[in-house]
Amino acid sequence: MSASEKAKAKTEQTVGKVEKEVGGAVGNERIAAEGESKEAKGDLRAAKEKGKDALKN
């Protein structure tokens, strides 16, 4: 996994998780949903990069 893509994935996962928690805590469903979306995007990016690495070996 390239370092930059790995960093992007981890950032998206972290930011998404924080937004999801904050949105839930304050009762803002829109922010919570955006957080879930960002977290999922980060998960997909990480999975894509792991798949690429698996094909290289």
Side-chain angles (χ1 to χ4, degrees), residues 34-53:
E34 286 177 3
E36 282 187 50
S37 174
K38 286 181 186 176
E39 189 174 12
K41 185 177 176 184
D43 291 343
L44 289 173
R45 184 184 304 271
K48 176 186 81 170
E49 291 302 314
K50 285 181 184 178
K52 283 182 181 178
D53 288 345

Side-chain angles (χ1 to χ4, degrees), residues 1-56:
M1 185 186 300
S2 75
S4 65
E5 288 296 312
K6 184 176 182 181
K8 284 181 188 178
K10 191 54 110 173
T11 301
E12 287 173 339
Q13 290 168 333
T14 303
V15 169
K17 187 170 191 155
V18 169
E19 282 187 6
K20 184 171 68 172
E21 294 297 321
V22 169
V26 298
N28 190 325
E29 292 179 17
R30 184 185 59 82
I31 292 175
E34 286 177 3
E36 282 187 50
S37 174
K38 286 181 186 176
E39 189 174 12
K41 185 177 176 184
D43 291 343
L44 289 173
R45 184 184 304 271
K48 176 186 81 170
E49 291 302 314
K50 285 181 184 178
K52 283 182 181 178
D53 288 345
L55 291 175
K56 287 182 182 178

